[in-house]
Structure formats: C-alpha cells, structure tokens
Amino acid sequence: MGLGLASRRYAVALPVWVGAYAGDALWALLVFWLVGLGWPRWSSWRVVGVAAGFALAIELSQLCHTPWLMQLRATRLGALVLGHGFLWSDLACYGVGILAGVGLEGLVGKRKRQPPSLPPSMEAEN
C-alpha cells in the first residue's frame, strides 16, 4: 500500500510510466493478497478470478455518477478504493498487478491451499 501511495505522491520524481501506472497495478496486487489472506484455502486461480472481478467492478463503477457515490469518492479513502474516472489502461494495470501476485506467490513458495480436511470420523472411512 505504501508503494502505491508513494508512486502517486512522488510521481514527478519517477519515470512517467511508473507514476501513471504503478499505483493501479499495486492496488490490484493488494486486492489479490487480501483475497488470498481472507480465503487461504482457495486456489490461486480462484483468488485471481475474485480479485479481477472486484477490480473490474470498481473500474466499471467509475462510469456511475450518482450523488452518493460521488460524495464517497470525494473522501480520501473513497478515492483510493474507488478511483475517479474509467480508464481502459487501468484494467491492464489491474491484470499486471494480479498476475504479479501469482508470480510472487510462486517465487516465495506458494502457501498450501488445499481443500478443508475431512473430519476424523470420515477419514477413517476412506
């Protein structure tokens, strides 16, 4: 989260493409990690699907300009989570961020995501 905020705050000191796109990719990476932490038994691809669906929903919500949503976006937290304007490039950045999460998970040593274990009484039957 800190890197994403820094990429916006110090955009003038960074290469143009980093200042423009890194925050969106890091936001999606954060979403991927939060979904994975929240549901640790899910497969990586299920986490990818949920994170991508959430990111897409947030980006599409930027096409909606209802007063209550605009008021929410006017807050710092609302702006960070919901963004302001729809951009196709944001969708590409979200994909990069989520796929980076999958790659980092593989490099760091994928946490064991397995189906819930059977109760002891059922394991004896198998």
Side-chain angles (χ1 to χ4, degrees), residues 40-43 46 111-119 123:
R41 295 187 184 271
W42 283 4
S43 71
R46 187 171 184 185
R111 69 190 134 116
K112 306 262 188 234
R113 290 195 183 145
Q114 299 175 7
S117 60
L118 295 172
E123 283 183 4

Side-chain angles (χ1 to χ4, degrees), residues 53-76:
F54 179 78
L56 177 62
I58 292 295
E59 194 65 23
L60 291 176
S61 79
Q62 294 172 13
L63 297 170
C64 183
H65 299 286
T66 61
W68 69 271
L69 200 48
M70 296 308 288
Q71 285 179 329
L72 187 58
R73 285 190 184 111
T75 67
R76 178 126 172 103

Side-chain angles (χ1 to χ4, degrees), residues 3-84:
L3 286 174
L5 293 171
S7 74
R8 300 291 186 188
R9 183 175 182 133
Y10 304 108
V12 295
L14 298 169
V16 174
W17 66 272
V18 173
Y21 303 118
D24 294 317
L26 290 167
W27 178 88
L29 176 60
L30 176 66
V31 170
F32 173 82
W33 279 341
L34 290 175
V35 172
L37 286 172
W39 291 272
R41 295 187 184 271
W42 283 4
S43 71
S44 294
W45 295 111
R46 187 171 184 185
V47 173
V48 165
V50 170
F54 179 78
L56 177 62
I58 292 295
E59 194 65 23
L60 291 176
S61 79
Q62 294 172 13
L63 297 170
C64 183
H65 299 286
T66 61
W68 69 271
L69 200 48
M70 296 308 288
Q71 285 179 329
L72 187 58
R73 285 190 184 111
T75 67
R76 178 126 172 103
L77 182 60
L80 289 171
V81 173
L82 300 174
H84 289 284

